[in-house]
């Protein structure tokens, strides 16, 4: 009989899984490591979800999440066939890679077939390489500038690294983990120069001054991804969506699971869209805490990158970032550290409540004093 590992595709055997931030169950832990929203879903969302937990649970949910698509279409001034709803934006990203990229990474000599290429900037969302690898696609990683800004369209045109013909290009905007926002006109220039699918991953856009959703309605090859996880405090319910040309949306519908979006999630997302003033107030609170925390950390010697998201990327003083991670964890504060070379000197800190930010600042002062 074959060993179990011989039954696994070599591609899968060789892969490294995406590593999500820890979800430890430690009493009193201040959890600033996974960019969750510190505020609960709106009272209306909680009441609506509670009221929906009844004998309906035996039924399949709406297979296309149609009421949610229609509601999102009204908000974004398009039609429901421009909207795809997924099990979190992670599923939307994974389906886009499957729908638009040829697997196989076929290389003829040294020439890479552009139809097999998944392109993205580094550093950005660390799921992208996993999606490319799972699909057997070719990764094309293009470095951001040292301050994490986007290279300009003309510099990219001259660069041998950038491929205008990559089957799909994924851009995290505002960027994670840097927090930096990209101007819509810069993104527009990149989209215009690009021949493959351009997916703008706007997971954090509700905390930013600007968004690029209009590009998905203007250009047939541009998709914008959004999520209810961050701004709408609904990580648990797994709801994300894409906006784009109906032909691209129909392709995603062809390959998705029949009931890819769970019923309570659909109900929760619709109720969240009915409570927009509650969430607008939360966005403003988070932005205020972000400004205050950034100022305080800067005064304690941290290099704080400007952020348009619900987290800040900071380069700490005195000790290496990995050591700060441990020292803060010892004081029951969890932040995120990435081992990738471009960001290993940094910590990514999710913006929590004001009280959590104050506790972090106290811990930082203590660590600086006592080590
Ligand atoms: C840039 C980016 N895109 C997408 C996601 C995934 O969001 P969701 O919870 O909707 O799958 C995340 C989550 O951390 C993210 O950072």
């Amino acid at each position: 009989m074959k060993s179990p590992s011989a039954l696994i595709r070599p591609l899968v055997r060789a892969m490294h899984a995406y590593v999500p931030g820890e979800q430890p169950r430690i009493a009193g832990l201040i959890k600033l490591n996974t960019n969750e929203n510190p505020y609960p879903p709106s009272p209306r969302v909680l009441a609506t979800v509670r009221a929906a937990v009844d004998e309906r649970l035996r039924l399949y949910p709406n297979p296309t999440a149609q009421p949610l698509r229609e509601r999102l279409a009204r908000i974004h001034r398009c039609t429901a066939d421009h909207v795809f709803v997924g099990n979190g934006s992670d599923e939307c990203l994974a389906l886009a890679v499957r729908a638009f990229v040829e697997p196989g990474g076929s290389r003829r000599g040294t020439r890479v077939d552009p139809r097999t290429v998944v392109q993205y900037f580094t550093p950005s969302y660390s799921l992208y390489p996993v999606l490319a690898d799972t699909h057997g696609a070719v990764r094309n990683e293009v470095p951001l500038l040292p301050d994490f800004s986007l290279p300009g369209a003309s510099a990219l045109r001259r660069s041998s690294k950038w491929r205008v013909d990559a089957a799909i290009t994924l851009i995290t905007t505002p960027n994670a983990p840097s927090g930096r926002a990209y101007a819509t006109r810069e993104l527009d220039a990149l989209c215009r120069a690009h021949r493959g699918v351009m997916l703008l991953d706007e997971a954090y856009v509700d905390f930013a001054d600007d968004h690029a959703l209009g590009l998905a309605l203007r250009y047939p090859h541009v998709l914008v991804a959004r999520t209810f996880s961050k701004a709408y405090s609904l990580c648990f319910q797994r709801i994300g969506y894409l906006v784009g040309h109906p032909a691209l949306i129909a392709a995603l519908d062809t390959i998705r699971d029949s009931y890819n979006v769970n019923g309570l999630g659909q109900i929760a997302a619709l109720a969240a869209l009915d409570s927009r003033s509650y969430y607008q107030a939360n966005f403003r609170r988070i932005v205020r805490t972000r400004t205050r925390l950034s100022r305080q950390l800067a005064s304690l010697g941290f290099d704080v990158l400007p952020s348009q998201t619900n987290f800040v990327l900071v380069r700490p003083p005195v000790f290496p970032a990995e050591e700060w991670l441990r020292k803060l964890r010892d004081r029951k504060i969890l932040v995120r550290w990435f081992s990738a070379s471009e960001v290993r000197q940094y910590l990514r800190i999710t913006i929590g409540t004001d009280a959590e930010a104050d506790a972090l600042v106290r811990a930082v002062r203590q660590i600086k004093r006592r080590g």
Side-chain angles (χ1 to χ4, degrees), residues 235-267:
C235 291
F236 199 77
Q237 294 286 0
R238 313 299 304 124
I239 303 282
Y241 66 97
L242 287 168
V243 175
H245 191 279
L248 301 189
I249 299 299
L252 298 167
D253 270 318
T254 312
I255 61 167
R256 68 177 169 80
D257 286 347
S258 330
Y259 302 100
N260 64 322
V261 186
N262 79 86
L264 291 178
Q266 295 185 34
I267 286 171

Side-chain angles (χ1 to χ4, degrees), residues 18 34-35 87-91 93 125 128 172 176 201 203-204 227-230 238-240:
Y18 171 72
T34 46
N35 299 342
N87 181 36
S89 54
D90 280 351
E91 189 201 21
L93 302 172
Y125 186 25
Y128 303 157
T172 320
D201 179 351
Y204 299 100
T227 178
F228 281 80
S229 292
K230 314 294 176 182
R238 313 299 304 124
I239 303 282

Side-chain angles (χ1 to χ4, degrees), residues 62-76:
N62 187 303
T64 54
Q66 201 58 26
L68 183 53
R69 288 192 198 210
E70 284 168 10
R71 190 65 207 282
L72 289 166
R74 278 205 300 283
I75 290 170
H76 296 310

